[in-house]
């Protein structure tokens, strides 16, 4: 008869879920970082200087967002990519001093 594994305690289950949440948070931060990096490159490389005023409208249509939200995303992407030292911390493990995108935005606002 196969041996049954011992039941998982509530504490062990909670710790495992917290580890999973930490990992998910780090992945989310890396995705947000990549989104901002790609968005800034799209704005800088795919629009002429004269057409950049319409970039937020194009982005809003493509991603089904308001032009105001798209404009804010472009501003955040430009500011974020201007500081590689901030970008380097986003998505790192928490134990290694990693930041969420909100941490990066707070540091850039200061």
């Amino acid at each position: 008869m196969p041996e049954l594994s011992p039941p998982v305690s509530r504490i062990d289950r909670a710790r495992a879920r917290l580890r999973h949440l930490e990992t998910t948070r780090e992945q989310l931060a890396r995705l947000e970082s990549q989104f901002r990096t790609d968005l800034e490159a799209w704005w800088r490389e795919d629009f002429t200087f004269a057409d950049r005023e319409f970039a937020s409208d194009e982005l809003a249509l493509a991603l089904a967002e308001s032009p105001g939200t798209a404009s804010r995303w472009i501003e955040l992407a430009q500011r974020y990519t201007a500081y590689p030292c901030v970008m380097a911390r986003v998505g790192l493990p928490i134990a290694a001093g990693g930041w969420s995108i909100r941490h990066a935005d707070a540091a850039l606002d200061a």
Side-chain angles (χ1 to χ4, degrees):
M1 175 151 47
E3 210 168 302
L4 299 174
S5 60
V8 177
S9 74
R10 284 182 46 224
I11 293 171
D12 290 337
R13 186 174 55 241
R15 285 183 182 145
R17 284 186 176 148
L18 281 174
R19 283 191 301 275
H20 177 72
L21 289 171
E22 288 173 4
T23 301
T24 303
R25 175 202 164 271
E26 292 161 6
Q27 292 170 342
L28 184 60
R30 284 191 295 274
L31 283 173
E32 182 70 24
S33 176
Q34 187 63 52
F35 177 77
R36 288 185 181 189
T37 302
D38 292 347
L39 178 57
E40 196 280 332
W42 170 79
W43 180 86
R44 181 176 24 86
E45 296 171 5
D46 296 339
F47 281 89
T48 63
F49 185 75
D51 293 335
R52 286 185 182 158
E53 68 179 287
F54 303 108
S56 60
D57 296 326
E58 292 285 335
L59 185 64
L61 285 171
L63 300 182
E65 290 290 343
S66 72
T69 297
S71 179
R72 178 76 176 138
W73 284 350
I74 291 169
E75 290 170 17
L76 287 171
Q78 290 170 328
R79 186 174 60 169
Y80 179 72
T81 56
Y83 293 92
C85 59
V86 171
M87 290 174 56
R89 295 190 71 139
V90 173
L92 290 175
I94 295 168
W99 288 357
S100 70
I101 204 71
R102 287 189 344 237
H103 288 117
D105 287 342
L108 293 171
D109 283 341

